[in-house]
Amino acid sequence: MSSLVATASKASLFRAELTKLITLRSLWITGALTWLIVVLVGWSQARPVGDALRTNDPGLAPGASPETVGFDWVALGLIGIIVIGVISASSEYVSGQLRTSLVAVPNRERLYLAKCTALTVFVTLLGVVTIPLLSLLSQSGLDELSVINGTVPASLILRWVGAIAFWDAIALIGFALGILLKQTLIPLFALIVVSQLSLMLLLLTPVFAYLPTVAGVLLFDPGLVTGSYPDADLGTLSAAIVTFTWTAGLVAFAGFRFSTRDARG
Amino acid sequence: MIEIKNLSKKYGQSDGIIDVSLTAEPGKVTAFLGPNGAGKSTTFRLLLGLDRADRGSALIEGKPYRDLTAPLWTVGAQFDGSGAHKGRTGKAHLTWMAQSNGIPHSRIGEVLELVGLSDAARKRVGAYSLGMGQRLGIAAALLGDPRIIVLDEPTNGLDPEGIRWIRGLLRTLAANGKTVLISSHLINEVQHVADHIVVISGGRIVQSGNVNELVAGHDDLEAAYFDWTGNAAKGNAA
């Protein structure tokens, strides 16, 4: 038995948390819908956007370029990512689930870390099967304007990485808020509102560029922000630092609260 | 072996529990008896590291619960109900639990069969009756075939056949040398199953000992219980 006990390692804990995520129907339905909607919308808009780029249509979003076509739909998928992040945390606070989790894994720091890792892997996989496909489908509508000529340029791959990192960051922020507030509705509502209104907030002051929902966009499609708000250009490195600081700060604070407070679900 | 010594916990202005001490030994069913709100669940929460005590200690085989690695091999615990998210199936619930403690997958089928839930394993917990949820919670507690079993109000929601089944299960576990600690507010249930009782009222232990010895001099356990806890408990205890 002792050898079996020894197998209860960090890897098995991570696997348990991943099982928890994928066996929660609301999570994988949200993931599937996010993939479907983003890919379908991106595909249906590929040809019209390509035509608009070719004709310099004034109705085209400021900052749009052949390489960034499709990336504006990353923000549409963000709603699903927020739902996944928040629910992955708040699902612990229903039906006595948290009690069971802590009885199975009383080391709260390990449990919290395993949860964050499982969520990051889940969202990264979702991003990997969604964002490159969205981008490639969008490029297919550009014909001669497409940046893909036999090979995918490294700059486009970096945008994919940036967009996936953005999804990871926002999912973890949603998770942290779900842990802190121990519920679904308020963090869900707050994050969706902020994510959808953050570009408009830049009308008031460029300081809002330091919101993770704006700085994160600068990681993969700066033109989407700076095309209308040139003052909001933080640069890629600063945007990465801002996004990371928000994410790490909130995740660490929520982890501290998770580890130290009584487990009243 | 479970050893709780001078355990105290206050929640805001409520009394919580004060100086609770009890011991549960291998081979015996120890029942923690008291009216609703007396502090039974609070004591269990502190024992299992869910809340932090203000004072005192709660040790399982000499260690605080939080210091146990892969605790499901040592302790099986169940609180009121299944403790499972309603969106998961019973089998999925037991699967993540087994994975988290390195318990072989084959054990899931065994415990589901033991509690009579094999046919409902792939149903969502939200579709379970109260009794089925209770059985799932007990299956989870038995998953690691632990030496110590802690069950909070295990007969809640069970039908007469289920109550009879849990009595037999508890006696079998004790006969196999396990340490069994249950809480209940049902005097008759405790009398049927316990070797040792600890009575709590208003957050304090008011009586503790062998059931037969404690009842001596009273008509039955119910009469003894009301003597120990006072008339105030009559309204809560059944």
Side-chain angles (χ1 to χ4, degrees), chain A residues 8-52:
Chain A
S9 59
K10 286 176 186 167
S12 58
L13 187 50
F14 160 72
R15 204 156 61 97
E17 286 302 319
L18 201 57
T19 297
K20 258 191 199 169
L21 285 184
I22 60 178
T23 55
L24 208 54
R25 188 164 51 171
S26 53
L27 269 191
W28 64 256
I29 288 177
T30 305
L33 282 176
T34 301
W35 179 85
L36 193 66
I37 291 170
V38 168
V39 169
L40 276 182
V41 170
W43 174 72
S44 68
Q45 292 299 304
R47 186 63 57 187
V49 173
D51 292 343

Side-chain angles (χ1 to χ4, degrees), chain A residues 98 108 182 257 260-265, chain B residues 9-11 45 50-52 66:
Chain A
L98 183 63
R108 298 187 185 198
K182 300 197 278 189
R257 294 288 295 135
T260 53
R261 69 186 171 198
D262 288 342
R264 299 252 150 197
Chain B
K9 172 77 174 177
K10 265 190 122 172
Y11 294 102
R45 293 179 67 83
L50 297 175
D51 297 348
R52 288 179 194 276
R66 287 192 191 201

Side-chain angles (χ1 to χ4, degrees), chain B residues 42-100:
Chain B
T42 296
T43 305
F44 280 13
R45 293 179 67 83
L46 296 172
L47 172 67
L48 299 171
L50 297 175
D51 297 348
R52 288 179 194 276
D54 298 334
R55 281 200 323 275
S57 65
L59 302 179
I60 289 170
E61 296 186 343
K63 285 182 181 175
Y65 191 84
R66 287 192 191 201
D67 289 353
L68 298 174
T69 49
L72 300 185
W73 290 99
T74 309
V75 184
Q78 176 255 348
F79 279 90
D80 190 19
S82 67
H85 192 286
K86 290 178 180 172
R88 281 193 193 94
T89 65
K91 188 175 181 185
H93 176 67
L94 296 177
T95 299
W96 78 255
M97 288 188 76
Q99 287 172 340
S100 71

Side-chain angles (χ1 to χ4, degrees), chain B:
Chain B
M1 167 86 97
I2 295 172
E3 289 175 291
I4 296 175
K5 284 185 186 164
N6 304 114
L7 205 59
S8 297
K9 172 77 174 177
K10 265 190 122 172
Y11 294 102
Q13 294 304 307
S14 73
D15 285 340
I17 59 167
I18 303 159
D19 279 333
V20 166
S21 298
L22 71 87
T23 302
E25 295 173 356
K28 288 183 180 172
V29 176
T30 301
F32 202 26
L33 178 65
N36 292 330
K40 303 186 297 295
S41 295
T42 296
T43 305
F44 280 13
R45 293 179 67 83
L46 296 172
L47 172 67
L48 299 171
L50 297 175
D51 297 348
R52 288 179 194 276
D54 298 334
R55 281 200 323 275
S57 65
L59 302 179
I60 289 170
E61 296 186 343
K63 285 182 181 175
Y65 191 84
R66 287 192 191 201
D67 289 353
L68 298 174
T69 49
L72 300 185
W73 290 99
T74 309
V75 184
Q78 176 255 348
F79 279 90
D80 190 19
S82 67
H85 192 286
K86 290 178 180 172
R88 281 193 193 94
T89 65
K91 188 175 181 185
H93 176 67
L94 296 177
T95 299
W96 78 255
M97 288 188 76
Q99 287 172 340
S100 71
N101 277 247
I103 295 168
H105 193 74
S106 58
R107 183 70 187 148
I108 295 168
E110 290 172 18
V111 291
L112 282 168
E113 192 173 336
L114 181 66
V115 302
L117 280 182
S118 296
D119 292 342
R122 292 181 188 279
K123 272 190 184 173
R124 298 202 178 274
V125 174
Y128 281 13
S129 67
L130 197 58
M132 290 165 81
Q134 196 76 354
R135 284 170 184 262
L136 180 62
I138 292 166
L142 300 176
L143 194 58
D145 192 18
R147 296 183 291 278
I148 294 168
I149 320 284
V150 179
L151 306 177
D152 190 20
E153 306 277 1
T155 55
N156 267 7
L158 293 179
D159 55 22
E161 183 267 330
I163 291 172
R164 192 172 188 186
W165 167 77
I166 192 94
R167 278 184 205 152
L169 176 69
L170 295 175
R171 290 307 326 162
T172 304
L173 289 169
N176 289 337
K178 314 266 188 194
T179 302
V180 181
L181 175 63
I182 63 166
S183 77
S184 182
H185 63 279
L186 302 173
I187 300 168
N188 287 336
E189 273 316 305
V190 166
Q191 190 157 20
H192 274 109
V193 80
D195 303 296
H196 186 95
I197 59 168
V198 179
V199 182
I200 187 170
S201 180
R204 293 175 187 273
I205 302 295
V206 296
Q207 197 58 262
S208 173
N210 176 282
V211 176
N212 294 330
E213 290 170 10
L214 288 177
V215 172
H218 299 271
D219 290 342
D220 54 20
L221 181 59
E222 185 174 303
Y225 174 84
F226 285 118
D227 278 353
W228 300 324
T229 59
N231 290 334
K234 283 183 179 174
N236 290 324

